[in-house]
Amino acid sequence: MLVALAAVMSSPSALAQVSDDLVKIGVLTDMNGPASTPTGQGSVTAAQMAVDDFGGKVLGKPITVIVGDHQLKPDIGAGIARRWYDTEQVDLIVDVPVSAVGLAVQNIANEKKKLFIAHSTGTADFHGKFCSPYAMQWVFDTHALAVGTAQEVVKRGGDSWFFITDDYAFGHSLERDASTVVVKNGGKVIGSVHPPLATPDLSSFVLQAQASRAKIIGIAGGPPNNMNEIKTGAEFGIFKGGQQMAALLALITDIHSLGLPAAQGLLLTTSFYWDMDDKTREWSKRYFAKMNRMPTMWQAGVYSSVIHYLNAIKESGTDEPLKVAAKMREKPIEDFFSRNGKLREDNLMVHDLMLVEVKKPEESKYPWDYYKILSRISGEDAFGPPDPACALVKK
């Protein structure tokens, strides 16, 4: 009798501990603003798909998904995160577009000792000087996109660059990282211009880039400038004139919005493309049936991380944050989203990226058939080694 009782008590289900008898995941995102198409409801849908595919329960306890809209404002994002962790028993926050909001939420996660996985927060400081045992970065950082694009483009002969750089920290960070790689690989940077964010008329900046005769015009910034610069470049015949544009941050929903006539020939780096192989197509078509558009790398990453998180709870027998995080670092992440993925000691999920070129209209055979995959970039090459400024990194 005692032996049988001991066997039961040592089983994972008997030892399982889930706080509040519920696993609650909060998708903190931009529901109506400029980031809502590549994140927003699509990120909520991806998280719910992961919960449903997992079976809706873990360790016998229900899993729920709730939604918050931070409106791209750090104070609102921090306030929602604090309320969720303090009074609404949220165990994990995911998504969180734009770095300023991501860093604000990271501070709350540290304070409350709760988990946070960023998908659409790009600053490399997240896993560098501000790294945290409670906060993970899953999809990309500015360094990986800039390095991946610049390195691969220079290798392919794009050895002279001119940058159109958004005049704020994010844009300057992209230009700095990409310029370093261009020069390191034997290329040269001819010059740069710095339009303010949300400049209504970008013609003069694009004309300066065109006049530089650089082989590659690097677009170092995010919406709305980046898409407007590409559209203006197409109108001015940049692609037809033999120059190429390389976007250091662009998403498939951006390409869809621009249309192939304007975006054709654009080079960019991405963590995910829905039409890459059978695994990406199978999941993306299920997502499309719910959203009527294909997923961005951020939305696909939300699904990947939620599944990995739930598996870690199951395998560790608890939802205790640091134990779950440790379990998440133990196993490789090999799924439809990630190739050769690994959650490192600095809580950055390192995985392979792709350099792609946007197809010409006549090359596209069906809806959302937008990219030609030019090369694969290993996670080690793109993300680089852990930042020694991170206190979690073994010295």
Side-chain angles (χ1 to χ4, degrees):
M1 182 71 177
L2 287 174
V3 172
L5 182 61
V8 169
M9 290 303 292
S10 64
S11 70
S13 58
L15 299 175
Q17 296 180 337
V18 172
S19 57
D20 311 303
D21 291 325
L22 177 71
V23 172
K24 187 179 283 190
I25 298 167
V27 183
L28 185 53
T29 190
D30 174 24
M31 291 301 290
N32 300 294
S36 60
T37 299
T39 63
Q41 183 57 48
S43 294
V44 179
T45 295
Q48 189 63 55
M49 286 174 68
V51 169
D52 293 344
D53 288 351
F54 198 80
K57 288 187 175 183
V58 60
L59 301 176
K61 307 298 182 182
I63 309 160
T64 62
V65 174
I66 65 170
V67 184
D69 183 0
H70 61 51
Q71 302 170 46
L72 302 182
K73 296 177 180 176
D75 57 335
I76 293 177
I80 293 171
R82 186 181 298 278
R83 186 181 79 245
W84 278 0
Y85 287 144
D86 273 349
T87 64
E88 297 191 32
Q89 290 80 47
V90 168
D91 299 288
L92 169 69
I93 291 175
V94 299
D95 200 18
V96 192
V98 308
S99 294
V101 186
L103 290 171
V105 172
Q106 184 187 38
N107 286 336
I108 305 300
N110 291 343
E111 179 188 329
K112 301 302 177 182
K113 296 180 168 52
K114 293 289 188 78
L115 292 183
F116 165 37
I117 305 177
H119 302 85
S120 41
T121 292
T123 176
D125 286 342
F126 195 88
H127 59 86
K129 63 183 178 181
F130 299 135
C131 75
S132 158
Y134 296 97
M136 306 167 198
Q137 197 166 21
W138 204 261
V139 176
F140 83 117
D141 68 8
T142 52
H143 179 269
L145 294 192
V147 168
T149 303
Q151 179 173 285
E152 294 304 307
V153 170
V154 173
K155 280 183 186 176
R156 300 173 68 85
D159 56 5
S160 62
W161 286 62
F162 187 98
F163 287 94
I164 305 176
T165 300
D166 281 5
D167 195 12
Y168 66 118
F170 176 73
H172 289 289
S173 173
L174 286 172
E175 180 187 339
R176 183 185 63 245
D177 288 342
S179 297
T180 300
V181 174
V182 168
V183 174
K184 181 181 174 183
N185 284 272
K188 60 183 177 181
V189 177
I190 295 172
S192 62
V193 288
H194 303 99
L197 183 64
T199 300
D201 184 0
L202 291 155
S203 301
S204 64
F205 301 101
V206 173
L207 284 170
Q208 287 180 72
Q210 188 175 29
S212 74
R213 299 188 182 278
K215 292 180 183 176
I216 306 296
I217 297 171
I219 307 298
N225 278 15
N226 58 349
M227 292 303 109
N228 289 335
E229 286 152 5
I230 294 161
K231 185 177 181 180
T232 304
E235 290 169 356
F236 289 174
I238 279 180
F239 296 109
K240 290 178 181 176
Q243 290 173 297
Q244 275 192 300
M245 284 184 151
L248 302 181
L249 173 62
L251 299 151
I252 195 164
T253 46
D254 297 326
I255 307 306
H256 185 74
S257 176
L258 274 175
L260 294 184
Q264 61 182 310
L266 181 70
L267 301 170
L268 62 102
T269 297
T270 184
S271 293
F272 173 80
Y273 177 43
W274 77 270
D275 205 16
M276 187 182 82
D277 61 23
D278 288 343
K279 286 201 294 186
T280 58
R281 281 187 286 273
E282 187 276 328
W283 184 83
S284 298
K285 286 175 180 176
R286 289 202 293 128
Y287 174 95
F288 185 91
K290 298 175 183 293
M291 289 298 301
N292 201 33
R293 61 175 178 258
M294 286 301 176
T296 63
M297 61 179 179
W298 296 338
Q299 292 157 339
V302 166
Y303 180 100
S304 168
S305 65
V306 169
I307 285 284
H308 197 68
Y309 166 74
L310 294 173
N311 274 316
I313 292 177
K314 180 181 177 181
E315 291 173 17
S316 56
T318 179
D319 66 349
E320 198 281 311
L322 293 183
K323 290 180 180 178
V324 173
K327 184 63 70 174
M328 291 175 74
R329 288 189 293 271
E330 280 181 17
K331 289 197 170 182
I333 299 133
E334 196 73 31
D335 56 20
F336 78 90
F337 168 78
S338 170
R339 301 295 180 277
N340 303 306
K342 172 71 177 173
L343 188 62
R344 271 189 337 203
E345 60 184 335
D346 57 355
N347 275 341
L348 173 68
M349 206 279 270
V350 174
H351 52 282
D352 296 350
L353 306 178
M354 293 168 279
L355 179 73
V356 302
E357 180 178 348
V358 177
K359 291 182 173 182
K360 298 173 182 174
E362 62 269 23
E363 294 174 322
S364 179
K365 305 303 182 192
Y366 39 85
W368 296 85
D369 176 23
Y370 293 161
Y371 293 164
K372 288 186 288 190
I373 298 173
L374 301 180
S375 60
R376 304 291 173 89
I377 309 160
S378 76
E380 289 71 20
D381 284 346
F383 290 96
D387 186 340
C390 173
L392 303 174
V393 176
K394 297 184 180 71
K395 303 294 191 280

